[in-house]
Amino acid sequence: KLFRYSSKEVIKVDIELAVQNVQSGKETDYGYIVKYYENKIYTTVFRLVRQHDIAQDLVQEIFIKVFYNLHKYKAVGSFNAWLYRIVVNQCYDYLRKQPKQSMLKEIEFVEKQYPENMILQKEQLHQLDQLLHQLDKTEYFILLLRYVNELSYDEISEVLEIPLNEVRNKLHRSKRKLRQLATTKGGYFHEMQ
């Protein structure tokens, strides 16, 4: 059995087995792959495009592309890295076609009875957005893949097609750069130092 279910989500998935099943013609197992990755991929895409509708469209395009190219996956590297390479390429393609826009998204606030929380949250997001804009795209993708998607250094190296040492160096430099920027810019993130 590939999966164990709770009432809300898939708890354990043998992705490599699901991929093999789909490659050998059992296409219904593709739904398990989608279920396992959909939230992680949506989070990654949304953090880059900052628009719910566009993120949903891109995620759908990504899963269609993965389905039609799954026969090309040869299990040489991890499926995780192969999949995120498609995610990164799709996001790069989209962002390349767009004028530079703020990564800041208007937040839907649940706690409307506490306007001071809304103002603080919006200010924190704005400051973080300003700090992240100081990073280049590769640095930003490395941070996103490492801390949001929890990819290993080896997987990030494979996804971004850069040497492992460069992944480590860029991750270290980008974290140091963010700390320095937070210190010099002041504000909420300065208080976190």
Side-chain angles (χ1 to χ4, degrees), residues 11-22:
I11 296 175
K12 185 172 181 155
V13 179
D14 185 341
I15 288 297
E16 297 295 333
L17 181 57
V19 168
Q20 289 171 8
N21 288 348
V22 174

Side-chain angles (χ1 to χ4, degrees), residues 23-158:
Q23 288 177 325
S24 61
K26 191 175 178 188
E27 294 178 356
T28 55
D29 279 5
Y30 189 66
Y32 298 130
I33 297 169
V34 171
K35 181 78 173 160
Y36 184 77
Y37 281 105
E38 66 186 342
N39 289 335
K40 293 177 182 183
I41 290 175
Y42 174 81
T43 300
T44 300
V45 173
F46 180 76
R47 286 180 182 264
L48 294 166
V49 301
R50 292 294 184 195
Q51 294 180 33
H52 174 69
D53 294 340
I54 293 171
Q56 283 185 319
D57 290 345
L58 286 171
V59 169
Q60 186 173 4
E61 290 172 19
I62 288 164
F63 280 118
I64 290 169
K65 188 173 278 189
V66 168
F67 180 78
Y68 285 109
N69 288 286
L70 200 55
H71 65 281
K72 295 178 183 175
Y73 171 65
K74 302 296 181 205
V76 174
S78 75
F79 177 74
N80 212 23
W82 182 85
L83 173 67
Y84 278 102
R85 182 75 196 142
I86 293 172
V87 172
V88 166
N89 285 338
Q90 197 76 15
C91 289
Y92 270 153
D93 289 345
Y94 172 78
L95 293 172
R96 229 185 326 265
K97 296 173 187 171
Q98 303 305 310
K100 186 162 175 120
Q101 55 186 336
S102 173
M103 296 171 69
L104 180 63
K105 180 194 180 309
E106 293 301 321
I107 303 172
E108 294 176 14
F109 296 100
V110 178
E111 301 179 87
K112 294 187 186 216
Q113 66 268 30
Y114 301 109
E116 65 276 4
N117 288 348
M118 294 178 353
I119 293 167
L120 178 62
Q121 206 171 10
K122 190 171 183 175
E123 179 60 26
Q124 289 170 354
L125 182 60
H126 179 71
Q127 289 180 24
L128 180 59
D129 182 57
Q130 288 179 327
L131 293 176
L132 291 172
H133 263 93
Q134 304 299 314
L135 301 176
D136 67 35
K137 281 184 184 176
T138 304
E139 291 171 335
Y140 183 74
F141 269 114
I142 289 173
L143 286 172
L144 189 61
L145 292 171
R146 179 68 182 146
Y147 295 111
V148 174
N149 300 102
E150 300 176 347
L151 269 64
S152 70
Y153 292 157
D154 289 332
E155 289 174 324
I156 295 169
S157 172
E158 190 177 335

